[in-house]
Amino acid sequence: MLKSFAYTRSIIGPDKFITSTEGGYSFLDFPAIDGDITKYVATVVARNMVLLKTLGVRKWTYFTFINDGMYESKRWGSGRVDYGMWNRASGCPKPHAAAWAVAARMLAFVEKPINASPHSDVYCYVFKKGNKTLAAFWAFSKDGVEAVIDMPADWSGMDFIGRPLKGKAGKQNMKLNEQVRYLEFDAPQEVVAKAFRNGRYLLPEAYITVTRENGDMVSIYLQNKTAKDLTGTAVLNQLPAKKFKVPAGKLSKVSFRCPPGSGKLNAKAFINGLTYAVSKEDEWYAVTRLTAAPAIRNGKLTGFENVTPLVMDSVKYLMPDNADGHGFWNGKDDLSAKIYLGYDKNYFYLAADVTDEVNVTRSHGINAWNQDSIQFGFDTANNAFDPVLFPGGYDGDDREFIISATPRGPELFCYTGTPDIERKNLEKPQVVRVGNRTLYLGRIPWRALGALKGKPGSVFGFNLVVFDTDDPKGSLACHLNFSKGITYGKAPAMFKRFILK
């Protein structure tokens, strides 16, 4: 959203203002008012309001203040969707109602923002507000960031939900977190900005994550966030510790032999007397080596008899996540899928048995997604596995394809790949309609899959989306995605991990 506003600003110039209508967040299945997700959304709303102000957004109309009862009725699907800032059942506001009100009050009439952020993980924006100066600041840290700021004048303000804050000029000890604080000063804007830029912030020296490299090895990755080399020891589960050195500003790994089935991956790193820890499920899906080439014969898939399919038949996989509430998805007979994966020495195979009440075929090539179709992607090098380190976008080793029945016949089209295959059709797939089901079968040669070479034990990221169109002249009704990372932005770090057996 912020990138979209920034791009709009670059086009319209600095003198025009931007408004946004019907923006906001929805909740599924009516979480508790004081639940973790509702509290988290409050912090996000506050940060959004500050950042949008820095981009010159004058008006943001939230959707909605009170949830419309139709979204909670059986007439509109399962009635799972709650858009409201207020809980209709209790009449009580959710936390983000307070965050919105506080932001609206504190950011009213502010102008001329200065970015005084002292670090990539510590944000501070300083505004003129009449004859006063307003600072809005926070830190991205689960554990908090200890800060010492030399305040240039007495100050007062609020936290993100309206609790009062005040203090005197001079050095102030604070622990910053993801919750915005708003402070007003009787001091010049530049002086306040300088105070925050020059504050002292005790930030983590490293970031730790863990991932499965292949069928035998697991690696702890350590990102050095300082300007000096870091040394320490790393431990995975109960395995013997290993020493490491991470150059300044770099990313390094420490690998341990750890076959699949070892349970949870508990990683720790000990650096300069501090412990950095992460815990992650060793989640992976097996891809079976096939003994015979698969096919669709007499309306049936053959060759996958020993393959356990990936089953996508519930709201867990549904996108948009409120499609059922709007009546665009009415259960697994409307849209569901069984996905079969396999490989041999020459090819990677993908097959699907999709239940779909209405079959629509109307596009081809680059627009093949705009109909009933299956889009799928690979992180062939297994090198994007953490959204913090790899927030988005495809690299040269990533691949994306789509398989569909088109007006020109079945196609297996490459969206992302090397120049010899990108924006081109690969080998012709099979797509067969049988009653209310559509069977798909495609194969991709290993030469088209970058770093993935068909070697048993190889780990790769994989994701898949099943698109559904019910109106030949309308837009997509909904889609099922196995995980996030294809629709609504390419993010291979969100893909699930698969292993060639």
Side-chain angles (χ1 to χ4, degrees):
M1 179 181 70
L2 296 175
K3 288 182 179 179
S4 298
F5 278 113
Y7 178 67
T8 302
R9 172 62 63 201
S10 71
I11 293 174
I12 68 175
D15 300 325
K16 294 183 174 65
F17 68 85
I18 304 171
T19 65
S20 174
T21 59
E22 292 197 3
Y25 300 91
S26 64
F27 299 93
L28 292 179
D29 299 320
F30 307 96
I33 288 178
D34 59 349
D36 290 341
I37 188 64
T38 52
K39 291 178 181 178
Y40 174 72
V41 167
T43 67
V44 173
V45 166
R47 296 194 299 265
N48 282 348
M49 294 283 277
V50 175
L51 291 168
L52 291 172
K53 271 294 186 180
T54 69
L55 296 170
V57 177
R58 187 178 297 183
K59 177 182 178 183
W60 181 13
T61 304
Y62 199 89
F63 184 85
T64 62
F65 290 99
I66 299 177
N67 200 39
D68 193 312
M70 69 180 182
Y71 298 123
E72 301 172 26
S73 67
K74 291 183 179 180
R75 179 183 175 188
W76 291 80
S78 60
R80 300 169 58 226
V81 185
D82 182 3
Y83 291 100
M85 283 188 173
W86 263 257
N87 182 287
R88 280 171 47 84
S90 66
C92 297
K94 300 185 182 77
H96 68 290
W100 178 277
V102 171
R105 174 179 175 181
M106 298 304 295
L107 296 171
F109 309 113
V110 299
E111 58 180 348
K112 298 180 180 179
I114 294 175
N115 185 348
S117 304
H119 186 273
S120 60
D121 289 335
V122 178
Y123 291 73
C124 178
Y125 296 92
V126 180
F127 303 85
K128 285 186 65 66
K129 187 176 182 180
N131 60 356
K132 293 183 178 290
T133 296
L134 175 75
F137 57 101
W138 67 92
F140 274 124
S141 172
K142 292 181 180 179
D143 300 321
V145 172
E146 298 289 348
V148 180
I149 304 168
D150 193 356
M151 300 298 191
D154 293 352
W155 48 273
S156 63
M158 297 181 183
D159 71 1
F160 78 116
I161 56 171
R163 289 173 291 216
L165 304 169
K166 65 184 301 184
K168 297 289 187 179
K171 291 185 178 180
Q172 175 71 44
N173 294 300
M174 292 183 169
K175 190 165 186 175
L176 311 184
N177 54 30
E178 296 181 341
Q179 302 171 0
V180 177
R181 302 181 198 189
Y182 308 92
L183 301 185
E184 291 184 349
F185 298 84
D186 284 316
Q189 186 182 17
E190 286 288 355
V191 173
V192 174
K194 183 178 179 181
F196 279 89
R197 286 196 192 104
N198 294 340
R200 295 173 56 196
Y201 303 90
L202 182 59
L203 293 154
E205 293 184 306
Y207 175 78
I208 183 174
T209 189
V210 63
T211 191
R212 176 163 293 283
E213 294 278 350
N214 54 49
D216 189 54
M217 303 294 292
V218 170
S219 292
I220 298 174
Y221 279 79
L222 295 153
Q223 182 188 43
N224 186 342
K225 304 179 78 170
T226 75
K228 61 183 180 180
D229 294 349
L230 293 177
T231 59
T233 57
V235 175
L236 178 69
N237 296 344
Q238 303 302 316
L239 298 173
K242 292 187 176 183
K243 294 182 179 181
F244 64 82
K245 179 179 179 179
V246 188
K250 300 295 184 180
L251 181 69
S252 296
K253 69 178 181 180
V254 187
S255 298
F256 297 81
R257 188 177 183 281
C258 182
S262 302
K264 212 164 193 177
L265 302 177
N266 298 303
K268 292 183 179 181
F270 304 95
I271 304 171
N272 294 331
L274 296 177
T275 301
Y276 299 84
V278 64
S279 185
K280 182 179 178 181
E281 291 292 338
D282 189 14
E283 183 185 20
W284 50 271
Y285 299 83
V287 180
T288 301
R289 188 179 182 93
L290 304 181
T291 57
I296 299 176
R297 294 190 180 95
N298 300 319
K300 294 182 179 181
L301 281 170
T302 64
F304 293 97
E305 289 77 12
N306 296 321
V307 174
T308 301
L310 308 174
V311 179
M312 302 163 67
D313 63 357
S314 69
V315 294
K316 173 183 176 181
Y317 305 99
L318 184 64
M319 291 296 290
D321 51 16
N322 59 359
D324 59 331
H326 287 281
F328 297 129
W329 185 80
N330 298 303
K332 61 184 181 181
D333 290 334
D334 186 356
L335 179 68
S336 58
K338 293 180 180 179
I339 308 299
Y340 299 84
L341 304 178
Y343 77 103
D344 60 23
K345 66 177 182 179
N346 297 315
Y347 296 97
F348 182 96
Y349 296 93
L350 179 143
D353 185 342
V354 178
T355 298
D356 182 10
E357 290 178 325
V358 181
N359 181 241
V360 174
T361 299
R362 63 187 181 188
S363 304
H364 68 92
I366 197 170
N367 294 316
W369 61 271
N370 191 21
Q371 60 187 341
D372 294 339
S373 57
I374 298 177
Q375 191 168 339
F376 54 102
F378 297 81
D379 173 19
T380 71
N382 189 34
N383 60 1
F385 47 82
D386 186 293
V388 174
L389 297 178
F390 310 99
Y394 283 150
D395 290 331
D397 63 272
D398 298 321
R399 301 288 184 269
E400 190 176 88
F401 306 91
I402 192 160
I403 183 172
S404 60
T406 81
R408 299 183 178 185
E411 289 183 355
L412 176 56
F413 184 81
C414 177
Y415 280 128
T416 302
T418 50
D420 60 315
I421 62 171
E422 187 170 271
R423 299 294 190 267
K424 297 176 183 178
N425 287 316
L426 275 70
E427 298 185 24
K428 190 172 182 177
Q430 288 184 271
V431 183
V432 178
R433 183 74 175 170
V434 183
N436 68 339
R437 295 160 49 232
T438 305
L439 304 180
Y440 297 82
L441 175 61
R443 66 183 192 181
I444 302 172
W446 292 116
R447 62 174 174 77
L449 286 176
L452 188 58
K453 299 300 183 185
K455 179 182 178 182
S458 297
V459 174
F460 59 100
F462 181 79
N463 193 15
L464 176 140
V465 178
V466 181
F467 289 111
D468 183 33
T469 308
D470 292 334
D471 182 350
K473 296 183 179 181
S475 59
L476 291 172
C478 62
H479 60 273
L480 304 174
N481 52 204
F482 192 65
S483 65
K484 296 179 181 179
I486 289 183
T487 56
Y488 305 106
K490 309 302 182 185
M494 305 296 291
F495 291 6
K496 300 296 185 181
R497 301 296 119 174
F498 289 71
I499 300 179
L500 300 182
K501 287 176 63 177

